[in-house]
């Protein structure tokens, strides 16, 4: 048997390999992110604002273009919107802390899934 591979099969196998690679990259990023404390934190005598990474944008070929509801691109847009709101809230909290307010852990507004 040994001859040429069917081009459609080869394309499908390449897409599967890319999807597996992206999934592994997301898993690794999530594992790293889960060990980091995000938000307004005290380190020694300093107060710092540690922002979480933005949601990862789907690759162009992640969308199947079949009209799914919700589409992966819609989900990404929603996660990005929530992330932007979280960042604004964390920056406001950081400004309050710099102006003398205590750090309030209940104020952490990180709602988006990492990453």
């Amino acid at each position: 048997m040994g001859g040429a591979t069917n081009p459609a099969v080869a394309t499908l196998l390449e897409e599967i390999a890319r999807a597996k690679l992206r999934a592994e990259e997301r898993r690794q990023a999530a594992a790293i992110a889960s060990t980091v404390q995000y938000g307004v934190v005290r380190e020694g005598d300093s107060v710092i604002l540690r922002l979480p990474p933005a949601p990862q944008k789907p690759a162009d070929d992640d969308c199947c273009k079949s009209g799914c509801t919700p589409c992966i691109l819609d989900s990404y847009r929603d996660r990005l919107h929530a992330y932007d709101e979280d960042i604004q809230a964390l920056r406001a909290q950081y400004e309050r802390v710099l102006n003398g307010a205590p750090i309030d852990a209940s104020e952490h507004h990180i709602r988006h899934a990492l990453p």
Side-chain angles (χ1 to χ4, degrees), residues 33-43 50-51 105 108 110:
S34 69
T35 64
V36 176
Q37 180 183 0
Y38 296 108
V40 179
V41 296
R42 186 170 301 281
E43 287 189 356
R50 186 174 299 130
L51 299 176
H108 287 205
I110 302 173

Side-chain angles (χ1 to χ4, degrees), residues 41-48:
V41 296
R42 186 170 301 281
E43 287 189 356
D45 293 334
S46 300
V47 173
I48 62 169

Side-chain angles (χ1 to χ4, degrees), residues 56-95:
Q56 187 175 20
K57 183 177 181 178
D60 292 337
D61 60 349
D62 282 347
C63 176
C64 65
K65 300 183 183 27
S66 67
C68 300
T69 303
C71 173
I72 190 169
L73 300 176
D74 295 333
S75 298
Y76 169 71
R77 183 198 62 231
D78 294 345
R79 285 191 322 271
L80 191 59
H81 180 73
Y83 173 81
D84 290 340
E85 289 178 346
D86 293 346
I87 297 304
Q88 289 177 8
L90 288 171
R91 286 186 172 139
Q93 179 190 16
Y94 182 62
E95 288 299 318

Side-chain angles (χ1 to χ4, degrees), residues 7-17:
V9 172
T11 299
L12 182 60
L13 292 174
E14 289 171 6
E15 289 177 16
I16 291 170

